Amino acid sequence: MVLAQLGGSIARALARMKDATVVDEKVLADCLNEISRALLQADVRFETVRDVKANIKTIVNLDALAAGTDKRRIVQKLCRMLDPGKPAFTPSKGKPSVVMFVGLQGSGKTTTCTKYADYYRRKGFNPALVCADTFRAGAFDQLKQNASKAKIPFYGSYIESDPVKIAVEGVDRFRKEKCDLIIVDTSGRHKQEAALFEEMRQVSEATAAFDQAQAFKQSASVGAVIVTEMDGHAKGGGALSAVAATRRPVIFIGTGEHIPDFEVFDVKPFVSRVLC
Ligand code: GDP
């Protein structure tokens, strides 16, 4: 949710710069200030915001702009700059990977878990879904329904309230069933509460604890971002802000409410989305 709002602010700032007849120092400064404000409001660390701002300043050549250089290049440069340049985790067929989904409540986690599972099932993987969201009433039913619609095995509990216990049981069961991509949906909160992070840490540690396989460790340690609601008003702003906030690569984007509304993140179409 926060990312979607943040994305909206950044997209608006970029759109204003794109629409300006002349991009001079003032237009650029206004845009940078707006982006910085949005990032700070979303609790991105001050140092990160300062670096992002400084980096953008150095890549934008005002003289070239004054000479009438295409403004689209600025946006392209922004995207390139915000690419963290780290390879993203990708699961390997036949090797057990556990992927944990983390995000604020309403950000699209439960929907995206199924989209992610379905994407890899189509690629020949044997995925499974575990509902470790014991906080939000209805999360269990929602994921179960999504899973059955997509014909993906599901594990969860109506009565157990300990998310760590459910995650461990679910991962254990699906490892025995030789699933090679075990996706754990976790609970979100309205704010980035300390308790939520502690819960995430416990689930992550507990599910990693009983498998020392290299692939498993990699999957537990390497983070990546999926930006949802790319079909909404925030457009590319969400991706830009997600990378800036986490310094992790964006791997997929959600483009609608349904399971097939899911695309591999690719810079070129992304850039054109930001521009249109
Ligand atoms: P969670 O609380 O993080 O698990 O969020 P949900 O998966 O329940 O999603 C919240 C709402 O956002 C639901 O109504 C979803 O259908 C919707 N949603 C999720 N992803 C997308 C997306 O990519 N585009 C659009 N338009 N809606 C989405």
Side-chain angles (χ1 to χ4, degrees), residues 197-212:
F197 289 122
E198 177 54 19
E199 184 177 307
M200 299 302 99
R201 196 189 58 74
Q202 285 178 14
V203 171
S204 164
E205 263 187 26
T207 50
F210 50 87
D211 190 330
Q212 298 303 315

Side-chain angles (χ1 to χ4, degrees), residues 37-79:
R37 228 182 350 260
L39 290 172
L40 288 170
Q41 272 169 9
D43 291 335
V44 176
R45 283 170 53 237
F46 172 74
E47 291 79 8
T48 310
V49 176
R50 194 188 51 201
D51 292 350
V52 165
K53 211 170 155 181
N55 281 337
I56 294 177
K57 267 196 177 153
T58 53
I59 59 163
V60 176
N61 182 339
L62 279 171
D63 291 340
L65 280 174
T69 309
D70 189 353
K71 272 180 270 172
R72 288 181 172 217
R73 282 190 52 224
I74 300 174
V75 182
Q76 283 175 334
K77 281 182 175 180
L78 283 175
C79 299

Side-chain angles (χ1 to χ4, degrees), residues 104 106-111 115 136 142 229 231 254-257:
L104 298 184
S107 59
K109 272 185 317 306
T110 304
T111 311
K115 290 179 175 182
R136 179 166 67 94
Q142 190 189 344
E229 294 184 28
D231 50 318
T255 54
E257 296 192 15

Side-chain angles (χ1 to χ4, degrees), residues 27-274:
V27 172
L28 178 65
D30 286 350
C31 176
L32 290 180
N33 286 339
E34 215 165 316
I35 290 174
S36 303
R37 228 182 350 260
L39 290 172
L40 288 170
Q41 272 169 9
D43 291 335
V44 176
R45 283 170 53 237
F46 172 74
E47 291 79 8
T48 310
V49 176
R50 194 188 51 201
D51 292 350
V52 165
K53 211 170 155 181
N55 281 337
I56 294 177
K57 267 196 177 153
T58 53
I59 59 163
V60 176
N61 182 339
L62 279 171
D63 291 340
L65 280 174
T69 309
D70 189 353
K71 272 180 270 172
R72 288 181 172 217
R73 282 190 52 224
I74 300 174
V75 182
Q76 283 175 334
K77 281 182 175 180
L78 283 175
C79 299
R80 221 177 301 148
M81 194 218 75
L82 289 172
D83 176 352
K86 289 178 192 149
F89 162 77
T90 44
S92 312
K93 256 181 232 169
K95 291 185 187 165
S97 291
V98 177
V99 174
M100 185 170 95
F101 274 61
V102 183
L104 298 184
Q105 199 171 61
S107 59
K109 272 185 317 306
T110 304
T111 311
T112 308
C113 279
T114 315
K115 290 179 175 182
Y116 185 79
D118 182 65
Y119 173 87
Y120 279 106
R121 192 176 56 85
R122 287 168 194 277
K123 294 224 167 266
F125 280 76
N126 191 14
L129 289 161
V130 178
C131 176
D133 180 353
T134 53
F135 187 78
R136 179 166 67 94
F140 173 92
D141 284 328
Q142 190 189 344
L143 188 62
K144 193 174 176 189
Q145 274 169 19
N146 286 352
S148 89
K149 213 188 289 175
K151 298 189 174 53
I152 293 172
F154 166 84
Y155 182 85
S157 168
Y158 257 129
I159 40 169
E160 179 55 60
S161 61
D162 180 0
V164 178
K165 193 157 181 276
I166 298 177
V168 168
E169 284 170 6
V171 170
D172 195 21
R173 170 190 295 190
F174 290 130
R175 286 198 62 244
K176 285 189 186 122
E177 292 178 11
K178 301 273 176 264
C179 293
D180 48 10
L181 182 58
I182 306 168
I183 299 155
V184 182
D185 188 16
T186 63
S187 45
R189 301 285 196 275
H190 287 298
K191 284 193 235 136
Q192 303 189 356
E193 297 162 13
L196 172 64
F197 289 122
E198 177 54 19
E199 184 177 307
M200 299 302 99
R201 196 189 58 74
Q202 285 178 14
V203 171
S204 164
E205 263 187 26
T207 50
F210 50 87
D211 190 330
Q212 298 303 315
Q214 191 60 24
F216 191 101
K217 270 201 237 159
Q218 276 171 3
S219 70
S221 60
V222 181
V225 176
I226 297 176
V227 180
T228 58
E229 294 184 28
M230 277 293 278
D231 50 318
H233 67 283
K235 291 191 179 170
L240 291 174
S241 52
V243 175
T246 62
R247 307 310 299 162
R248 292 288 181 273
V250 177
I251 48 171
F252 290 101
I253 52 174
T255 54
E257 296 192 15
H258 303 291
I259 294 171
D261 303 331
F262 195 60
E263 295 170 22
V264 171
F265 177 76
D266 191 1
V267 178
K268 273 191 193 151
F270 164 72
V271 167
S272 59
R273 252 180 243 233
V274 172

